[in-house]
Amino acid sequence: MNSFKTHSSHWGAFSGRYENGSLEVRPHPGDPHPSPLLGNIPAIAHSPMRIRRPAIRRGWLEGAPGHAQNRGADDYVEVSWPRAADLVAKELQRIYGNFGPEAVFGGSYGWASAGRFHHAQSQIHRFLNVLGGYVSSVNTYSSGAAMVILPHVLGPYDHFDRKSVTWDAIERSSELVVAFGGMAIKNTDVHGGGISAHIVPRTLNVAHARGARFVLVSPLKDDFPAEVNAEWLPILPGTDIALMLGLAHVLVSEGLHDRQFLDRYTVGYERFEDYLLGRIDGVEKSPDWASHICGIGVDTIKTLALSMARARTLITVSHSLQRADHGEQPVWMGIVLAAMLGQIGLDGGGYSYSLGALGNIGKHQLAVPLPTFSQFKNAVSDFIPVARIADMLLNPGHEYNYNGHAMRYPDIRLVYWAGGNPFHHHQDLNRLRAAFKKPETIIVHETAWTSSARHADIVLPATTTLERDDIGAADRDPLMVAMKKLIEPVGEARDDYEIFSEIARRLGKFEEFTENRTSREWLTFLFETTRKALVAGGHEAPDFETFWERGEIRLPLKPDDGRPARAFRHDPFASPLQTPSGRIEIFSQTIESFGYDDCRGHPRWYPPRAEAEDDKSRFPLHLVCNQPHQRLHSQLDYGDFSRSTKIKGREPVRINPADAAERGISDGDIVRLFNARGSCLAAAVISEDVRKSVMQLATGAWFEPDNAASDKAMCIHGNPNILTRDVGTSQLAQGSTGQLTRVEVERFVGELPPVRIFEGMTFLDEAGGPARRPATNRSASSTTAKDALRPEKLILTHPETEQNNP
């Protein structure tokens, strides 16, 4: 019998065993709340969605005139690895030689693996930098607006607030937590690089038992765990800053704002107060004004403000709030509100951006560095904000503003993507489809036939994390895991390092890219970074082989000393913030100097520009497009846990009973959501946990158009990004606005199109012969495989209860 081997994922450390054609997974024994997402992993071994051989799009291979217009609707030809590598090398030589590195866009999103070496983003960027560089992207879809506004007003992103408030502090000291956007447990299931212990449910329960009070500000009731009985304020989507302004108005009118804190630790409060009290525009941002906008009662606003001033209060702002029009504003205003309370730097009080958005935020920091695979230096200075890829491809040479700079989109001839699925992350998918028809060549490394792979010219089969050795480690998590290979590569899949090495060899860059190290030698080399730091700190420091044999080691943590917020509060002159003033910038002269009409020098209310006024009557419902609970982004949507949550093969969309009744929609009906950009099908779930006039459809369903040749296809599987708007949050950040959109919904009438996205692909031979379906090892939908994947099974195979497993 094969023994279990240690491994790790973004949603939890685990061990696995492959035996008799099945992969069995069990969570780490030290994890108090293992994620059910582990139930998606076993499908990796056998799914027909896996890419088994290199494949070339027929139109590109034949060089047909206007072939790019057929991307997404063309046939594919399977070829050998030598043929595929030759084609990639030749095309890179052509583009770099004729147009330079400024014509190459290197796309990746970093979530492909929890491993430190087989990190797709590092691999592709290192490879392209060896060739001369590439046009890059900055920031993330998750937090694009916050990553730009926070450095101006509070300090470097992921520094001040995200490293100052811990779950331990909440457990021992917080009296009131006001969570704008909530702290959904499903989000804390994951963290980039891995998570060995899911502690948030226990922490919140302990704090609640101690008497801490939680207030949820969200249109969705389950954006906070039910066990802590959070008070639900069902706000209208996109209006949180109006509520914050109303709360601030109460603090000022009641004389409860902390003037001493504002004078000592902030700049520009007076200019903000002039706006708040209507001295500038004649409009007081009172509770009455706020209530009219956000839908929360006047008395509720007043009572909450008074409670915040009388308790040790923590204000949190979720990722979701800034993925919308003017998303910079609630992040900034949350800081201002916390400063007015004067509690920043106090234990369990103050402000934290995105606490609860990822599993390790709020944990203690590591005391040693983690291994990192060098990407080298990019010789190309051109970049785009990550969510502006369609703009770039559709509008080469077009000017736009970003963070105080006048920018110009480069003319991209080749897109090289490894790790990530833009047809999940990006908005307005019909527009993205049009954008993907612009480059001369698109090359993709993929594990499965996602929509991104189906819109590429050259598709190279990449291994998953299960098919290679690696080192699993993440910031704020004390466990470093030996990620041991669990299965042999599926088909002819190769890891990214092997693929890039082979192409680099053809381009005369092999030694520069690999430094003549094998993958195993790289693991040993990278491990030394952490081992040497352990030695220097006087900690146990096993060599690599000892670590590998053990399967894991514990890393030391820094103490919970409230840093750096505590240090700033203690002495703002000795420990200033990394802002222009060294203090919290309630008014930013830098931002004001940019002259943007959609992001001025202090936080303010901007009416949503998401839809024109006449669209409110045509599309009266708000659609919240949040993160799924059954997968990480779109990863492993073909996994059994993800597929078990679908209804009639489609994603569920939650609808308030009143809105459903008005439209004659019943629970389980297949419905059509639509607006001016497109439409999708989904399965209705009637729920009181969604505010009236709001629907919720999670992202991540693999995009399946009803007509791949149509310019305005309908997604029959339930991807909400066919409906979202592809515009930036503001000229400051140009972040994603994909969280919210307006739609109408109706019962679907007619013959229901079948969902076939998980049926695999057929291919032509190189002579254009008849299509054939690739052989698979064994269907992951078999009864045996499904039983092995059940979340209940995962609990039964937990080591502590294994004796009860029949």
Side-chain angles (χ1 to χ4, degrees):
M1 177 179 291
N2 294 329
S3 61
F4 281 90
K5 297 178 182 178
T6 56
H7 209 79
S8 190
S9 69
H10 295 303
W11 45 93
F14 67 95
S15 57
R17 175 173 66 186
Y18 187 75
E19 192 170 63
N20 299 325
S22 294
L23 179 65
E24 186 177 0
V25 170
R26 68 183 184 189
H28 191 277
D31 192 345
H33 295 280
S35 171
L37 297 182
L38 291 172
N40 285 324
I41 290 176
I44 289 173
H46 303 295
S47 173
M49 295 310 301
R50 289 297 305 276
I51 301 172
R52 286 168 164 76
R53 295 191 69 207
I56 315 296
R57 189 173 61 81
R58 184 179 185 180
W60 185 92
L61 188 64
E62 296 175 351
H67 67 82
Q69 296 306 305
N70 209 29
R71 283 195 185 113
D74 209 347
D75 296 316
Y76 282 87
V77 177
E78 289 188 323
V79 301
S80 68
W81 264 111
R83 172 94 161 114
D86 286 343
L87 288 171
V88 172
K90 183 178 180 181
E91 185 63 358
L92 288 170
Q93 283 180 318
R94 184 182 75 84
I95 296 296
Y96 274 92
N98 293 342
F99 306 104
E102 296 83 3
V104 176
F105 180 74
S108 183
Y109 207 60
W111 284 101
S113 170
R116 303 297 296 182
F117 174 64
H118 292 293
H119 178 235
Q121 194 173 73
S122 297
Q123 293 283 345
I124 185 174
H125 292 169
R126 179 185 176 95
F127 172 73
L128 294 177
N129 283 333
V130 165
L131 300 187
Y134 63 100
V135 174
S136 61
S137 61
V138 297
N139 307 328
T140 68
Y141 280 92
S142 295
S143 195
M147 295 179 90
V148 177
I149 190 68
L150 282 172
H152 285 293
V153 302
L154 196 61
Y157 182 80
D158 200 28
H159 175 68
F160 182 93
D161 58 304
R162 297 177 79 173
K163 292 183 178 177
S164 295
V165 181
T166 64
W167 292 112
D168 286 348
I170 292 172
E171 184 176 314
R172 64 178 173 252
S173 300
S174 297
E175 296 173 334
L176 173 61
V177 177
V178 182
F180 291 93
M183 295 181 187
I185 291 298
K186 64 180 175 61
N187 295 335
T188 67
D189 271 347
V190 304
H191 194 94
I195 174 171
S196 62
H198 296 82
I199 66 168
V200 177
R202 182 199 64 81
T203 298
L204 292 178
N205 286 333
V206 171
H208 172 62
R210 178 181 52 77
R213 173 188 170 199
F214 298 93
V215 175
L216 166 64
V217 183
S218 171
L220 309 178
K221 187 176 183 180
D222 53 4
D223 270 344
F224 219 93
E227 294 79 9
V228 301
N229 297 320
E231 300 166 43
W232 183 30
L233 304 187
I235 195 169
L236 276 172
T239 65
D240 295 78
I241 188 173
L243 174 58
M244 292 177 183
L245 288 166
L247 293 168
H249 190 280
V250 175
L251 296 179
V252 174
S253 62
E254 297 292 332
L256 297 174
H257 56 314
D258 190 331
R259 285 309 306 253
Q260 288 186 332
F261 184 92
L262 292 168
D263 291 343
R264 181 173 172 81
Y265 299 100
T266 75
V267 294
Y269 171 74
E270 292 77 10
R271 296 188 65 167
F272 168 76
E273 186 180 274
D274 286 344
Y275 166 78
L276 181 70
L277 300 182
R279 298 170 187 148
I280 296 175
D281 57 6
V283 178
E284 286 200 55
K285 314 311 179 290
S286 66
D288 299 83
W289 170 88
S291 178
H292 177 74
I293 294 171
C294 70
I296 304 300
V298 172
D299 289 342
T300 299
I301 296 173
K302 291 180 178 178
T303 301
L304 178 58
L306 296 176
S307 297
M308 291 165 65
R310 294 166 180 164
R312 179 63 58 85
T313 299
L314 174 65
I315 294 171
T316 69
V317 175
S318 70
H319 276 336
S320 59
L321 300 192
Q322 51 87 69
R323 288 197 299 263
D325 276 341
H326 309 104
E328 300 84 359
Q329 302 305 311
V331 177
W332 195 356
M333 186 59 212
I335 298 168
V336 174
L337 194 55
M340 293 177 69
L341 292 171
Q343 297 197 31
I344 292 175
L346 295 179
D347 196 57
Y351 173 83
S352 182
Y353 169 71
S354 76
L355 186 68
L358 293 167
N360 291 339
I361 296 176
K363 293 183 178 180
H364 295 218
Q365 299 174 63
L366 293 176
V368 293
L370 296 176
T372 301
F373 186 51
S374 173
Q375 301 181 17
F376 296 143
K377 181 175 174 58
N378 190 352
V380 176
S381 60
D382 287 350
F383 68 88
I384 61 166
V386 68
R388 303 273 56 82
I389 183 173
D391 285 355
M392 174 185 69
L393 297 178
L394 290 169
N395 303 297
H398 179 76
E399 293 184 355
Y400 68 101
N401 291 318
Y402 168 74
N403 200 17
H405 299 281
M407 309 281 286
R408 189 183 298 272
Y409 289 122
D411 186 2
I412 297 300
R413 304 301 182 102
L414 182 145
V415 173
Y416 205 137
W417 212 289
N421 179 9
F423 279 82
H424 156 68
H425 287 293
H426 205 72
Q427 285 68 64
D428 194 347
L429 291 183
N430 279 319
R431 186 170 187 261
L432 183 66
R433 294 169 69 221
F436 262 54
K437 294 177 180 179
K438 295 299 182 180
E440 296 176 23
T441 301
I442 299 176
I443 305 170
V444 167
H445 296 195
E446 252 295 5
T447 64
W449 282 103
T450 64
S451 290
S452 297
R454 295 170 194 239
H455 284 79
D457 301 311
I458 301 176
V459 183
L460 304 180
T463 55
T464 66
T465 174
L466 302 185
E467 296 151 78
R468 60 207 185 204
D469 292 336
D470 211 336
I471 299 171
D475 63 314
R476 304 178 182 91
D477 193 283
L479 194 69
M480 179 177 282
V481 179
M483 296 173 61
K484 300 180 181 180
K485 179 179 174 180
L486 300 180
I487 61 174
E488 291 301 314
V490 170
E492 298 178 17
R494 299 180 178 182
D495 64 61
D496 294 312
Y497 182 68
E498 185 180 2
I499 296 171
F500 286 130
S501 297
E502 193 58 40
I503 298 169
R505 187 190 305 277
R506 285 164 165 76
L507 296 172
K509 299 288 186 179
F510 178 82
E511 291 189 3
E512 188 175 350
F513 175 73
T514 67
E515 299 182 29
N516 290 320
R517 291 191 180 98
T518 64
S519 293
R520 182 69 170 206
E521 289 169 341
W522 270 113
L523 295 183
T524 304
F525 175 79
L526 296 177
F527 181 77
E528 277 297 292
T529 300
T530 303
R531 193 193 68 81
K532 288 179 179 178
L534 289 170
V535 171
H539 306 286
E540 182 192 12
D543 61 20
F544 178 77
E545 293 304 328
T546 302
F547 154 68
W548 197 258
E549 184 178 352
R550 290 184 188 174
E552 62 183 52
I553 58 171
R554 289 273 166 185
L555 303 178
L557 299 170
K558 293 180 180 179
D560 182 11
D561 59 3
R563 44 174 296 170
R566 187 80 49 80
F568 173 65
R569 185 184 186 91
H570 177 71
D571 190 337
F573 302 101
S575 302
L577 303 182
Q578 296 180 49
T579 62
S581 65
R583 294 188 282 174
I584 298 168
E585 304 233 344
I586 294 177
F587 180 88
S588 168
Q589 187 59 52
T590 300
I591 294 176
E592 181 71 10
S593 71
F594 296 159
Y596 299 151
D597 59 3
D598 53 3
C599 189
R600 300 293 299 277
H602 60 71
R604 64 181 67 202
W605 163 251
Y606 293 92
R609 49 178 186 168
E611 307 291 345
E613 286 298 320
D614 59 346
D615 281 346
K616 291 183 179 180
S617 59
R618 294 174 56 203
F619 310 116
L621 299 176
H622 299 270
L623 180 65
V624 176
C625 311
N626 61 351
Q627 292 300 313
H629 70 90
Q630 64 271 43
R631 57 187 169 260
L632 168 59
H633 297 311
S634 66
Q635 278 195 46
L636 303 180
D637 191 27
Y638 60 80
D640 273 27
F641 180 61
S642 181
R643 295 176 72 172
S644 72
T645 65
K646 298 180 190 291
I647 301 171
K648 299 177 183 176
R650 286 161 236 272
E651 283 295 296
V653 57
R654 293 194 296 172
I655 309 174
N656 182 275
D659 296 319
E662 289 174 8
R663 294 160 176 80
I665 294 171
S666 300
D667 204 64
D669 283 348
I670 300 301
V671 295
R672 174 177 171 264
L673 291 73
F674 61 94
N675 60 21
R677 283 170 295 286
S679 60
C680 72
L681 301 183
V685 174
I686 313 303
S687 175
E688 294 277 5
D689 290 345
V690 181
R691 188 195 196 281
K692 190 179 186 308
S693 80
V694 173
M695 297 194 301
Q696 177 264 322
L697 175 60
T699 61
W702 284 11
F703 173 60
E704 182 174 4
D706 61 335
N707 182 354
S710 170
D711 291 338
K712 197 168 185 180
M714 174 177 71
C715 179
I716 64 176
H717 189 200
N719 189 320
N721 275 332
I722 200 76
L723 304 162
T724 51
R725 297 175 73 245
D726 185 16
V727 296
T729 52
S730 77
Q731 294 173 86
L732 181 76
Q734 296 287 358
S736 166
T737 57
Q739 183 78 13
L740 303 175
T741 191
R742 280 186 173 272
V743 298
E744 182 55 283
V745 64
E746 63 186 9
R747 291 181 65 247
F748 180 80
V749 178
E751 184 177 353
L752 192 62
V755 177
R756 294 196 169 117
I757 190 70
F758 298 133
E759 291 182 2
M761 296 282 285
T762 57
F763 302 94
L764 301 176
D765 60 32
E766 291 200 56
R772 67 174 184 83
R773 187 175 298 279
T776 62
N777 298 326
R778 177 165 157 260
S779 172
S781 62
S782 68
T783 302
T784 303
K786 275 188 176 180
D787 182 67
L789 302 181
R790 287 183 293 122
E792 313 91 89
K793 179 79 172 182
L794 290 170
I795 300 302
L796 289 173
T797 58
H798 197 288
E800 293 179 359
T801 57
E802 193 171 12
Q803 64 271 24
N804 299 321
N805 185 18

